Amino acid sequence: MPQYDQYEGFQVKSPDTWTEFHKQKFYTKPFGDYDVEIKIEACGVCSSDVHTISGGWGDQKFPLAVGHEIVGRALRVGPKVTLIKEGQRVGVGAQSWSCLECRQCKNDNETYCPKQRDTYGAEWPETGIVTQGGYSSHVRTHEHWVFPIPDELPSELAAPMLCAGITVYSPLVRNGAGPGKKVAIVGLGGLGHFGVLFAKALGAETWVISRTHSKEEDAKKMGADGFLATADKGWNEPHKMTFDLIISTANAFGSDFDLSGYLSILDVHGKWISVGLPEDETLQIKPQDLISNGVLVGSSHLGSRKEMLDMLKLAADKGIKSWVETVPISAENLSKTMQRLQNNDVRYRFTMVDYDKEFP
Amino acid sequence: MPQYDQYEGFQVKSPDTWTEFHKQKFYTKPFGDYDVEIKIEACGVCSSDVHTISGGWGDQKFPLAVGHEIVGRALRVGPKVTLIKEGQRVGVGAQSWSCLECRQCKNDNETYCPKQRDTYGAEWPETGIVTQGGYSSHVRTHEHWVFPIPDELPSELAAPMLCAGITVYSPLVRNGAGPGKKVAIVGLGGLGHFGVLFAKALGAETWVISRTHSKEEDAKKMGADGFLATADKGWNEPHKMTFDLIISTANAFGSDFDLSGYLSILDVHGKWISVGLPEDETLQIKPQDLISNGVLVGSSHLGSRKEMLDMLKLAADKGIKSWVETVPISAENLSKTMQRLQNNDVRYRFTMVDYDKEFP
């Protein structure tokens, strides 16, 4: 494909060798009228990266550079671009395309467009070129999925908001989290910590539900109003039918996953929204657990451009600080970081930085 | 308990002999200040009756007269009753008590009150007397659960609305069924037929989803705008992401229960509300089926007093006619009717009538 431009990035060659990253060149799609070309400066590390390269979410197109919490500079913009200016600091999240013409797209639901495409691992139909993620020198994306980053937000703190942040922000605002509402965040990991930060910033009474009390101090530092540990016998009893909304970041539905307990603390028609996506697991629901308070179980996928801009503005206005450990990008550090993430050895998010050394 | 009044009704003695009905006397609770005493004229036959007397929903208190779609005359009212007048034709549904003081009760959610009690099989705590249902001479109930029946509605058509009707009416109105909305009713049985009648009366575009086409003609006669049969290969393909709401009356979640297919036809954040309550079954949900359109799976329990009055008014105003087969009440006819119901030999609802012969 010599007619196409090339970028360089850290790719994984197959799920069997998913802990090995190789810096190599790859082709990128032709520069379109609505495209923005971005020189990458930082990229957050998401569990999706591990699920994808290790094969947990099924077949993928290799070799592949993952990473979809990208912050960088707009090097150039296509002739029809109106949303982004050259030189602007911008972000790209987990989605990079949708049709922008269907009912969903026209309704600020472009993340639910049947034709939506991911930032990495998706095939551009015209060329067969596979989209590559942010552990790379550059990324080239339609302006709709490129977001100006407010000056107040450092790149390494803004990056993880672009997937983890929006994943919890969207269901919070769509389900009314705000003053007078009582919200629980299940699981205090990368997603959960943003759940607490944003639910508080939106004005909701915010509780964290975790297995044990080990993260209680962190939760309080993030601003949580209350903390419940499901390992405590009868943890749910005093809270029955008092919560309006639960955002669950749990990504395993094993035997210690107490769905009945979670649903019992919801008020009538309260919602349990899962934003964790387990590998090959099924959610088992007893109809009796739904009927006694008429609750709803659902899920949520990223958020719209409009919500992304609102979220970044809220973060800038309220001085929200993501809890981030920065790691200089390199093949070795990507390998170590992915393995630490898989072992839950992270509080609460990694951002790869120092791109200039590897991609001068 | 000689100090208590007695009524007479058709009771079942145990789940082992659930097809045998015995006309016998039973005690009723003391007449309270807010109570209404009703001479019963008609009672709809509900699947709950079969689930209860056959033991499918667990242990019950026997001997028991079931029946919770009751219409009759208010013989007398307690000194503090303001909602009902003596002589009025009134109805009683599946619920007969709640605390009327908790957050749920004060919010028109009395059916979700943690202390709510059923019309039959519940124990009044002061006396230990077990509530008895409508296959009886009389019933005595707090005025909040007694509803004036509009003159336009014949007793035998109004009766099944008091449980089956309200069970689908409440989730329809609570989830916005009306002009411009597209609603599907899964399963065309007793509940489903009311789903069609009420969704149409509320102004929604109304579709029926059934296993086969056997009930398509009936569905159209009830007013359905469309009909889908899940036995047709690819039945859901042309309808993906187009429905706003599905009310499912399915009461079994076996291998031919195509939940993924149902969820696929919902638009973003559409709701699948189950009003069927299977015996000992678990709903299995693939998280992927929830996330691709951000849909919600929930349930619903009866409806409030306010909704009951609204529903009866709508039925009167729009001339809604329940599809009912009337059966003269007797021990033998109750036995036959319950067994026909268990075999789904009903289109679409039975109402027991001619009470004067058995209870002069």
Side-chain angles (χ1 to χ4, degrees), chain B residues 83-319:
Chain B
L83 303 174
I84 302 293
K85 292 184 175 43
E86 272 183 26
Q88 222 172 2
R89 194 167 55 118
V90 296
V92 173
Q95 183 179 5
S96 281
W97 196 82
S98 76
C99 77
L100 295 180
E101 290 174 357
C102 67
R103 175 155 72 148
Q104 287 75 36
C105 283
K106 289 189 169 159
N107 214 8
D108 281 327
N109 283 319
E110 66 268 35
T111 54
Y112 300 100
C113 171
K115 298 180 180 170
Q116 72 96 24
R117 265 177 235 151
D118 293 342
T119 293
Y120 57 70
E123 197 172 295
W124 297 110
E126 314 79 24
T127 57
I129 287 173
V130 174
T131 59
Q132 302 289 319
Y135 305 133
S136 309
S137 60
H138 303 75
V139 68
R140 184 177 279 187
T141 306
H142 186 290
E143 63 170 342
H144 187 87
W145 290 274
V146 180
F147 315 104
I149 304 290
D151 291 341
E152 297 88 338
L153 297 180
S155 295
E156 70 273 18
L157 304 192
M161 293 181 186
L162 300 168
C163 175
I166 194 69
T167 293
V168 293
Y169 177 84
S170 175
L172 283 170
V173 295
R174 289 184 182 212
N175 294 295
K181 299 289 181 179
K182 199 171 166 189
V183 172
I185 307 294
V186 172
L188 194 64
L191 291 167
H193 108 283
F194 277 124
V196 179
L197 296 174
F198 287 128
K200 281 301 292 180
L202 291 165
E205 182 183 335
T206 304
W207 291 61
V208 168
I209 306 180
S210 189
R211 198 114 54 88
T212 69
H213 288 273
S214 67
K215 292 179 177 171
E216 182 161 1
E217 200 179 323
D218 283 357
K220 295 288 172 67
K221 281 185 196 157
M222 290 169 196
D225 300 292
F227 190 97
L228 299 171
T230 58
D232 292 343
K233 197 167 150 54
W235 68 272
N236 59 325
E237 289 298 332
H239 302 279
K240 280 191 169 172
M241 294 184 85
T242 63
F243 280 84
D244 298 290
L245 175 64
I246 299 174
I247 304 289
S248 171
T249 71
N251 62 6
F253 301 148
S255 57
D256 60 349
F257 178 70
D258 184 14
L259 184 60
S260 299
Y262 297 135
L263 298 181
S264 74
I265 65 172
L266 284 170
D267 196 7
V268 178
H269 306 325
K271 291 177 189 163
W272 185 89
I273 305 291
S274 173
V275 294
L277 194 57
E279 301 178 352
D280 287 330
E281 285 196 66
T282 300
L283 198 57
Q284 314 257 348
I285 304 182
K286 298 184 198 124
Q288 285 74 5
D289 290 337
L290 296 176
I291 206 169
S292 62
N293 40 1
V295 294
L296 297 145
V297 166
S299 188
S300 175
H301 184 215
L302 301 172
S304 66
R305 174 178 181 85
K306 186 177 172 308
E307 287 166 333
M308 190 74 93
L309 299 178
D310 290 347
M311 174 191 71
L312 293 170
K313 182 171 188 312
L314 181 74
D317 290 350
K318 300 262 182 180

Side-chain angles (χ1 to χ4, degrees), chain A residues 105-124:
Chain A
C105 282
K106 290 190 169 158
N107 213 7
D108 281 327
N109 283 320
E110 66 268 33
T111 54
Y112 300 100
C113 171
K115 299 180 180 169
Q116 72 96 22
R117 264 176 235 152
D118 293 341
T119 292
Y120 57 70
E123 198 172 295
W124 297 109

Side-chain angles (χ1 to χ4, degrees), chain A residues 97 101 142 195 198 231 250 286 306-307 310 343:
Chain A
W97 195 82
E101 289 173 358
H142 187 290
F198 287 128
K286 297 183 199 127
K306 187 178 172 306
E307 287 166 333
D310 289 348
N343 295 325

Side-chain angles (χ1 to χ4, degrees), chain A residues 169-276:
Chain A
Y169 177 83
S170 175
L172 282 169
V173 295
R174 289 185 181 212
N175 294 295
K181 298 291 180 176
K182 197 171 167 190
V183 172
I185 308 293
V186 172
L188 194 63
L191 290 167
H193 108 283
F194 278 123
V196 178
L197 296 175
F198 287 128
K200 280 302 292 181
L202 290 165
E205 181 183 335
T206 304
W207 290 61
V208 168
I209 307 180
S210 190
R211 197 114 56 87
T212 69
H213 288 274
S214 67
K215 292 179 177 170
E216 182 160 3
E217 201 179 322
D218 283 356
K220 296 288 173 67
K221 281 185 194 158
M222 290 169 198
D225 300 292
F227 190 97
L228 300 171
T230 57
D232 293 344
K233 197 168 149 56
W235 68 271
N236 59 326
E237 288 297 332
H239 302 279
K240 280 190 169 172
M241 294 183 86
T242 63
F243 280 84
D244 299 289
L245 174 64
I246 299 175
I247 304 289
S248 171
T249 71
N251 62 5
F253 301 149
S255 57
D256 60 349
F257 178 71
D258 184 13
L259 184 60
S260 299
Y262 297 136
L263 297 181
S264 74
I265 66 172
L266 285 170
D267 196 7
V268 177
H269 306 325
K271 291 178 189 163
W272 185 88
I273 306 292
S274 172
V275 294

